Amino acid sequence: MFSALRGRSYGDNKKSDLPMTVDFKPRRAPSSKRVQYMRWAAYAAGSMFAIWLLSRLNAVNVQSPSYTEEEYNHYTNTKSIDYEKLKKFDEGVEKYLIDHQGIVRESPEFKELQQDIDNLYHSTVDYYDLNDYQGSADGATDGDHMLLCVPLRNAEPVLPLMFKHMMNLTYPHELIDIAFLVSDCSEDDRTLEAVFDYSRALQNGNLSKLLEEQESYKKDVSGTSELHLNYMDPDYIERRNNAFSPPFHKDYDKPFRSVQIFRKDFGQVIGQGFSDRHDVKVQGIRRKLMGRARNWLTANALKPYHSWVYWRDVDIELMPGDIVQFMMKFDYDVMVPNVWRPLPEFLGNEQAYDLNSWIESEAGLDLAKKLAEDDVIVEGYQEYPTWRPHLGYIRNPNGDPKEVVDLDGVGGVSILAKAKIFRQGVHFPAFTFLNHAETEAFGKLAKKMGFRVGGLPHYTIWHIYEPSEDDLKEISRKERKKRRQKNAAAKMKKKAGRD
């Protein structure tokens, strides 16, 4: 596990009714010279007591000498008394000093000792009233801390995009703790090293400069990995190119409250290609393993002072910088946006991506009754005809982005949830729950426990386009056709020049 630098200027900023201090200094044990002084003081005190007793018996007539404060402390050496040692044997006893003039006063040394003990106590004991961390609809103003959770697997190529989106968040960076979970990567993958390097640059405030240098280098290197962009809607390409153009918001380069990087495998062996991940045959086991990973990260990263948890997939291409505040203001316990993806023009330009956000249907409930207890319904596949209304398909590009619908299942691309629901037992089932698993079961479980689960049908974020094998074959065919047409045009032009 790696942990990036935490900005000292932000501090823990926890809510507590216990005073904090960082000035604790242990008292020194008395020196041998001081011990000798204490012995002399004891002899002197014993002698004076004996003389006083005799004078009371009229055996001796004496008069108490008059000492200055300095002389009294010199002879009695009261400042050398180690009250810390004495306190171990006197718990609950009030201690006072009777000076040479007969005035009773509390020892300054004891006051200092008591303060030292209090300081030590408060440096090792934290107090949280969880009623203060319920999640406010205006968390940015009310100072709500948020945990941003990002699961990663073979994600190195899209990390620059993810970090740009994080910097672009307008929710106060000093209120955000980031937790990455790197798991089940290929042997030659560098996701862990890359996320560590990017996180250090992020917290040092120079990540944007680093990413600019990388972009400049990338433009100088020719390749064919983005041939699909030649077939995308030009309007979308323009929005994509302008997504991270200046001017940025004033805190774009501001470090976050903290960054944690966890490394743990869960046995996920299913490939990361589009066709591999979305094959219906592997969905049940894949989602249960993802549920385990999400629960592990929640258990290890969630702190008592967090009021919100934001789960974000790494491969979002377009997303507003104020998405957190926008989803937060509806005061739902769980909220998700609509998630679509762009497509090449020969496939229709765009498509609903996340079909795991839906409203339950009678057909879905009837299907569940016919399945075995451990079977997982995989939404959006013809093998499971639930006929549920999907958040993606009730979208209207011109609809009101503030419209909310209640949901039963939710997708995991972008989930904002109040931290209190995790503390009360809501999680991402890594087993079959009501014939669902992971995020869809998370939505069902939250609703079963009485929490509000909602979605924004007309508020859309865009997932990156990942060409399937069939898409790549079609793009290759079109590229070959373009080359043939270009060569044919060049030959005709050359022939026309000879004529």
Side-chain angles (χ1 to χ4, degrees), residues 266 268 285-295 313 428 430 438-439:
F266 297 89
Q268 186 75 270
I285 184 63
R286 175 177 175 267
R287 294 186 183 185
K288 290 177 182 179
L289 288 174
M290 290 169 63
R292 288 180 58 193
R294 289 183 186 272
N295 292 334
D313 278 3
F428 300 92
E438 204 221 350
T439 62

Side-chain angles (χ1 to χ4, degrees), residues 148-152 161-163 165-166 169 294 310-317 319 323 412-415 461:
L148 172 57
C149 293
V150 187
L152 301 172
L161 180 63
M162 177 66 199
F163 275 88
H165 278 302
M166 290 195 306
L169 289 174
R294 289 183 186 272
Y310 182 35
W311 284 91
R312 248 297 306 271
D313 278 3
V314 69
D315 41 11
I316 296 298
E317 190 162 56
M319 182 188 79
I323 185 172
V413 175
S414 176
I415 303 174
I461 65 176

Side-chain angles (χ1 to χ4, degrees), residues 18-33:
L18 300 179
M20 299 297 295
T21 180
V22 294
D23 297 326
F24 174 74
K25 296 179 180 178
R27 294 178 59 86
R28 294 181 303 173
S31 63
S32 57
K33 187 175 182 180

Side-chain angles (χ1 to χ4, degrees), residues 155-168 198 207 211 214-215 218 236 240 243-244 252 312-319 462-465:
E156 182 185 3
V158 290
L159 283 177
L161 180 63
M162 177 66 199
F163 275 88
K164 287 181 181 179
H165 278 302
M166 290 195 306
M167 290 190 294
N168 200 43
Y198 288 139
L207 179 58
L211 293 177
Q214 288 186 351
E215 286 291 327
K218 186 178 178 181
Y236 182 86
R240 176 183 180 271
F244 300 106
Y252 185 80
R312 248 297 306 271
D313 278 3
V314 69
D315 41 11
I316 296 298
E317 190 162 56
L318 294 179
M319 182 188 79
W462 295 84
H463 195 277
I464 63 172
Y465 167 62

Side-chain angles (χ1 to χ4, degrees), residues 309-367:
V309 180
Y310 182 35
W311 284 91
R312 248 297 306 271
D313 278 3
V314 69
D315 41 11
I316 296 298
E317 190 162 56
L318 294 179
M319 182 188 79
D322 64 349
I323 185 172
V324 171
Q325 297 97 309
F326 191 87
M327 293 197 295
M328 195 178 281
K329 69 182 181 182
F330 299 99
D331 204 24
Y332 268 63
D333 299 303
V334 179
M335 179 63 73
V336 296
N338 210 332
V339 184
W340 278 53
R341 68 167 181 159
L343 291 176
E345 291 178 313
F346 62 82
L347 291 176
N349 288 337
E350 59 185 26
Q351 179 187 51
Y353 178 81
D354 195 343
L355 300 183
N356 297 329
S357 297
W358 39 263
I359 303 169
E360 188 56 276
S361 67
E362 289 297 327
L365 294 173
D366 291 340
L367 176 62

